[in-house]
Amino acid sequence: MSTENYEYLTSREVDNMCCVQKGPKHGPAPIPEEGLWVQAKEVTDISALTHGVGWCAPQQGACKLTLNVKKGIIEEALVETIGCSGMTHSAAMAAEILPGKTILEALNTDLVCDAINTAMRELFLQIVYGRSQSAFSENGLAIGAGLEDLGKGTRSQVGTMYGTKLKGVRYLEMAEGYVTRLALDKDMQVIGYEFVSLGKMTDFIKKGMEPNEAYKKSMGTYGRFDEAFKYIDPRKE
């Protein structure tokens, strides 16, 4: 192997070395991508849909980031945040910034919030190592698949629970919606709850329904709610 046309600067120690030929050609290990095994060598070799979770330095808030990548380009981005009001505004910026970038560009883009940046890092590692949700899905998942996590109401699945040793537990928000009342039995233990689906209620109002009617139509119960000895408002009682 000649070094006469080598493009990089070399040290004197390397200049004085003789050339030893490389034996077997070891390519990258193939990773599963959209139903195929791919030896990824370039950013454009990467296709995947998956999720990453990140947190900020004080761990005050967290972000779940979903990206749908096709041939190295981010075609779809879903940014969900919790715990920090400022993070929602950073998420708005990230959702605008990320689509159209390569995953390498995205990894080196300041997404403003530590949690979103950390989620991007974690997600990048999953994608380039073939640990994606779409790894064994032939032709991958369609653009728009990220919205499936949100369901028909296009709202993040949120659970908010609070409890103290002194006063016990309070359910505040469940996947079904905003909890309006807790049902307690004679032992003052939770046996069910009443909720209102804020997404459904808003849709009803947008279609012209009166707010009170929309509120009642969007309500539901879970568990043995009707058998309660006592009902309480978890935010006030």
Side-chain angles (χ1 to χ4, degrees), residues 76-96:
E76 175 186 15
L78 172 64
V79 191
E80 300 174 83
T81 64
I82 189 170
C84 173
S85 57
M87 193 184 294
T88 62
H89 295 79
S90 299
M93 296 175 65
E96 184 174 356

Side-chain angles (χ1 to χ4, degrees), residues 31-38 135-139:
I31 62 174
E33 288 187 25
E34 301 191 339
L36 301 173
W37 288 95
V38 178
F136 300 104
S137 300
E138 188 174 355
N139 298 320

Side-chain angles (χ1 to χ4, degrees), residues 65-83:
L65 178 62
T66 303
L67 297 183
N68 197 347
V69 180
K70 302 290 187 184
K71 296 183 178 179
I73 304 294
I74 296 170
E75 296 287 348
E76 175 186 15
L78 172 64
V79 191
E80 300 174 83
T81 64
I82 189 170

Side-chain angles (χ1 to χ4, degrees), residues 9-236:
L9 182 67
T10 56
S11 68
R12 180 179 300 176
E13 290 79 5
V14 172
D15 286 339
N16 292 331
M17 292 178 182
C18 67
C19 288
V20 176
Q21 296 299 320
K22 183 185 290 188
K25 183 178 180 181
H26 295 284
I31 62 174
E33 288 187 25
E34 301 191 339
L36 301 173
W37 288 95
V38 178
Q39 286 187 301
K41 299 178 182 179
E42 307 290 341
V43 171
T44 52
D45 294 330
I46 300 295
S47 293
L49 181 143
T50 199
H51 319 276
V53 176
W55 53 94
C56 58
Q59 299 189 25
Q60 180 182 356
C63 168
K64 175 191 170 190
L65 178 62
T66 303
L67 297 183
N68 197 347
V69 180
K70 302 290 187 184
K71 296 183 178 179
I73 304 294
I74 296 170
E75 296 287 348
E76 175 186 15
L78 172 64
V79 191
E80 300 174 83
T81 64
I82 189 170
C84 173
S85 57
M87 193 184 294
T88 62
H89 295 79
S90 299
M93 296 175 65
E96 184 174 356
I97 290 169
L98 288 170
K101 286 185 176 291
T102 70
I103 54 171
L104 186 58
E105 285 180 296
L107 183 66
N108 289 285
T109 296
D110 183 4
L111 300 173
V112 185
C113 170
D114 282 350
I116 303 175
N117 285 319
T118 303
M120 182 65 228
R121 180 194 70 196
E122 298 299 310
L123 185 149
F124 179 88
L125 292 174
Q126 289 176 240
I127 288 176
V128 297
Y129 285 126
R131 272 65 169 179
S132 70
Q133 180 177 325
S134 61
F136 300 104
S137 300
E138 188 174 355
N139 298 320
L141 299 177
I143 309 304
L147 286 177
E148 292 181 4
D149 283 359
L150 302 181
K152 293 181 180 179
T154 322
R155 287 173 57 88
S156 295
Q157 302 299 306
V158 176
T160 308
M161 315 299 157
Y162 179 73
T164 62
K165 180 181 177 182
L166 183 64
K167 298 293 185 177
V169 72
R170 299 294 186 276
Y171 300 171
L172 303 174
E173 185 113 11
M174 304 292 283
E176 300 94 334
Y178 178 97
V179 177
T180 51
R181 288 189 293 169
L182 291 184
L184 308 179
D185 64 12
K186 291 183 179 180
D187 296 322
M188 298 301 282
Q189 295 180 351
V190 179
I191 59 171
Y193 54 86
E194 178 186 67
F195 63 87
V196 58
S197 173
L198 298 179
K200 287 182 179 179
M201 184 179 73
T202 303
D203 286 340
F204 287 143
I205 293 172
K206 285 194 296 184
K207 292 177 181 178
M209 187 178 291
E210 288 296 318
N212 284 339
E213 183 183 354
Y215 176 76
K216 292 177 182 178
K217 191 171 181 179
S218 303
M219 298 188 80
T221 62
Y222 182 85
R224 294 185 289 120
F225 185 81
D226 294 335
E227 301 174 21
F229 174 75
K230 181 177 182 179
Y231 298 104
I232 65 169
D233 181 335
R235 290 170 174 79
K236 294 181 179 180

